[in-house]
Amino acid sequence: MIDQGKEYIRTLDELFVANPDIDEAGFVFYQDDAGELFVENNKLAIAFSCTFEMYAAATDIIRTTNQVLHELGRVSANVRSKVIANAISATRALLLLNGDNYTAWAVRKFLLRTERLELSKEIKFIDLVQTKHPKSCEAWAHRQWVLSRIPIQSIDLSREFQVSREAAEKHPKNYYAWTHSNLLIQKTDIDTLFAELRNTAEWLNLHVSDHAGLHNRQIVLDTIAQRLPTGTCHALSISQFLISGTTIGSANTIAPPQTRLELWTHEFDVNTDLVLRYPGHEALWCHRRFLWVRWLELVQTIKFEKIVEANLNEEASVIDDELFHVANFQYSSRNVWPSLSGECLLCEKCVDLSAESENDVEQSRCAALYAVWMLQKTSTAEGEVTWRQLPFVEQLLLRCSQLQLHKPAQLWLANTI
């Protein structure tokens, strides 16, 4: 069995020599006319029938060569080159079969540290492994280790983000892929971040239930927000800015946001579209909670900056503190500042008392829970605001209470409304 497995490994080596641009690997059923291992259009096919023998042989080779690797200085040049070649071949075969084999990755780390392998070629090999094992924890850890040894200016960050998205496409809610992307965000320039924001928006349209992908988008948004000015719209008076419902342009505009106001408002628009188009996805409502927290923080920042500006201009008396209550923000369906009234209207629209389908029932539950949470969060942020007396709030709470009666098994709001 070991001998047959070693023959498969030699065949695999020959295929990589003849086809250096192999970019994908996968398992297939044995075909007489093609053999156990073959390449077509730069895609490597490994027959299930040969995996057991090849795995056993690769494990045996690594076990016999691992100790010799750490004593290369004591052996002849011919033995050294043979041991290194065997280690590379065996680890390549083993990792194509099992991307989580820690020992194989450790051997390759040793070869990289001793410069027997090139860092750029190792990234290419990891790409290949991850086409078959997109959620391999050890593969992602090894990728991060390799990148840590490459100068940041030499890393193609856009390509790394793309690799993460492709892996998440192959395996839903791929925590390891998105974590890899998250670790690179802080090292990325603002233009690449905006490009990634657009890319994740396209990706999100096809994966509206992926919590991990939405968390990655939140980190991108936070990082961009840290590098943008607040955006207090000095050209407008305070009343115009906070009460008039001034528009900011299309949510699908090509130009990236220039201020945090534009950034968060645009994201609210994106989320509103998804919530209404794809009902019943809790991940989207959780993302909206994140947006509301960031919006409340921004409102408090604007309030502070306006008061400081007025004090500097000795015009503090003209500041009306009530203008900064979130409840006073005007809102329509798109392209204006988010508001408490707008959120209540959206939730009321989504709470369907006659919902029968699973998606509609889940949409009503998520909207009602978000509404109660949002009102409580706003009360905490704004102090003793009498938001319960506002007509649209009373109407929403009444609707949530009715939903509690209609769908008692779907909602637990009795102690919160």
Side-chain angles (χ1 to χ4, degrees):
M1 181 178 67
I2 297 296
D3 291 339
Q4 180 62 53
K6 290 181 178 179
E7 184 62 33
Y8 289 141
I9 293 175
R10 281 192 289 271
T11 302
L12 186 65
D13 291 342
E14 293 171 359
L15 288 175
F16 273 95
V17 171
N19 304 272
D21 296 326
I22 293 175
D23 56 12
E24 187 175 350
F27 297 151
V28 298
F29 291 101
Y30 175 71
Q31 302 177 32
D32 293 331
D33 58 337
E36 289 84 357
L37 298 161
F38 62 92
V39 175
E40 187 172 329
N41 296 327
N42 292 328
K43 314 300 179 187
L44 172 65
I46 303 173
F48 286 106
S49 58
C50 74
T51 55
F52 186 78
E53 290 90 346
M54 189 160 64
Y55 191 94
T59 303
D60 182 70
I61 293 172
I62 291 175
R63 184 171 57 250
T64 56
T65 60
N66 201 9
Q67 185 173 357
V68 181
L69 279 174
H70 296 274
E71 300 176 353
L72 290 178
R74 303 178 183 179
V75 299
S76 64
N78 289 335
V79 173
R80 186 185 307 125
S81 61
K82 183 178 180 180
V83 168
I84 292 173
N86 286 341
I88 293 174
S89 298
T91 55
R92 176 169 55 198
L94 188 55
L95 290 168
L96 287 173
L97 300 177
N98 176 15
D100 280 316
N101 191 292
Y102 179 81
T103 301
W105 287 121
V107 170
R108 295 185 77 89
K109 281 186 176 70
F110 175 80
L111 294 173
L112 288 164
R113 283 197 300 267
T114 55
E115 298 183 352
R116 267 89 181 188
L117 280 175
E118 297 179 24
L119 293 171
S120 58
K121 291 184 178 179
E122 186 68 358
I123 289 292
K124 184 178 179 180
F125 172 68
I126 300 170
D127 286 342
L128 177 61
V129 171
Q130 290 178 327
T131 61
K132 177 57 187 166
H133 309 286
K135 204 175 181 180
S136 167
C137 173
E138 298 301 336
W140 286 108
H142 186 69
R143 188 182 195 97
Q144 292 161 17
W145 182 87
V146 172
L147 290 175
S148 70
R149 305 178 74 86
I150 301 176
I152 187 63
Q153 59 271 19
S154 300
I155 300 175
D156 186 350
L157 293 173
S158 297
R159 168 61 183 157
E160 291 300 310
F161 289 135
Q162 181 183 350
V163 167
S164 296
R165 288 194 304 276
E166 289 175 353
E169 181 77 32
K170 293 174 182 175
H171 198 297
K173 300 176 180 63
N174 194 332
Y175 169 81
Y176 302 110
W178 290 118
T179 299
H180 174 72
S181 177
N182 296 343
L183 293 173
L184 297 173
I185 287 173
Q186 296 298 332
K187 304 175 183 178
T188 307
D189 62 85
I190 190 71
D191 293 332
T192 305
L193 286 175
F194 276 126
E196 181 62 11
L197 196 64
R198 289 190 294 271
N199 291 332
T200 55
E202 296 172 2
W203 189 92
L204 184 58
N205 273 285
L206 303 175
H207 306 81
V208 291
S209 290
D210 198 312
H211 286 272
L214 279 165
H215 180 248
N216 170 264
R217 185 170 177 84
Q218 291 166 11
I219 295 177
V220 174
L221 286 165
D222 273 339
T223 305
I224 292 176
Q226 292 170 6
R227 305 182 190 183
L228 292 178
T230 304
T232 53
C233 297
H234 293 287
L236 301 174
S237 67
I238 297 173
S239 59
Q240 285 176 317
F241 167 56
L242 296 179
I243 295 182
S244 66
T246 306
T247 61
I248 65 163
S250 171
N252 297 318
T253 181
I254 297 176
Q258 299 300 311
T259 66
R260 275 180 274 170
L261 274 170
E262 295 179 9
L263 176 71
W264 295 121
T265 306
H266 174 272
E267 189 65 14
F268 264 101
D269 287 340
V270 171
N271 182 261
T272 300
D273 284 344
L274 293 174
V275 162
L276 295 177
R277 276 194 291 149
Y278 305 105
H281 293 277
E282 189 174 21
L284 296 175
W285 288 98
C286 291
H287 183 58
R288 198 170 189 89
R289 293 192 185 200
F290 161 81
L291 296 178
W292 188 249
V293 170
R294 291 295 181 266
W295 184 255
L296 291 177
E297 293 172 352
L298 182 61
V299 168
Q300 295 302 317
T301 301
I302 295 172
K303 176 179 178 179
F304 175 78
E305 291 180 354
K306 283 294 184 181
I307 290 175
V308 170
E309 179 185 354
N311 285 333
L312 291 175
N313 296 328
E314 298 181 352
E315 296 177 355
S317 59
V318 304
I319 296 295
D320 181 1
D321 189 59
E322 291 299 318
L323 291 175
F324 295 97
H325 288 158
V326 181
N328 291 337
F329 277 65
Q330 298 298 306
Y331 182 87
S332 64
S333 60
R334 292 181 64 86
N335 304 333
V336 293
W337 317 124
S339 67
L340 182 63
S341 61
E343 294 300 287
C344 288
L345 292 173
L346 174 66
C347 293
E348 185 179 349
K349 180 179 180 179
C350 293
V351 175
D352 185 1
L353 301 180
S354 59
E356 294 296 338
S357 69
E358 183 179 348
N359 282 347
D360 289 340
V361 170
E362 183 64 11
Q363 177 84 329
S364 298
R365 185 187 74 85
C366 292
L369 289 174
Y370 169 76
V372 174
W373 171 89
M374 181 262 300
L375 292 171
Q376 292 175 336
K377 194 72 177 178
T378 305
S379 176
T380 302
E382 291 293 303
E384 296 298 324
V385 180
T386 57
W387 47 261
R388 279 183 177 271
Q389 280 68 51
L390 296 171
F392 53 82
V393 174
E394 290 182 340
Q395 188 173 349
L396 174 61
L397 291 178
L398 176 61
R399 196 168 184 82
C400 290
S401 299
Q402 292 171 342
L403 180 66
Q404 177 70 46
L405 295 175
H406 281 73
K407 306 286 183 181
Q410 310 294 335
L411 199 62
W412 299 270
L413 295 174
N415 297 325
T416 55
I417 295 180

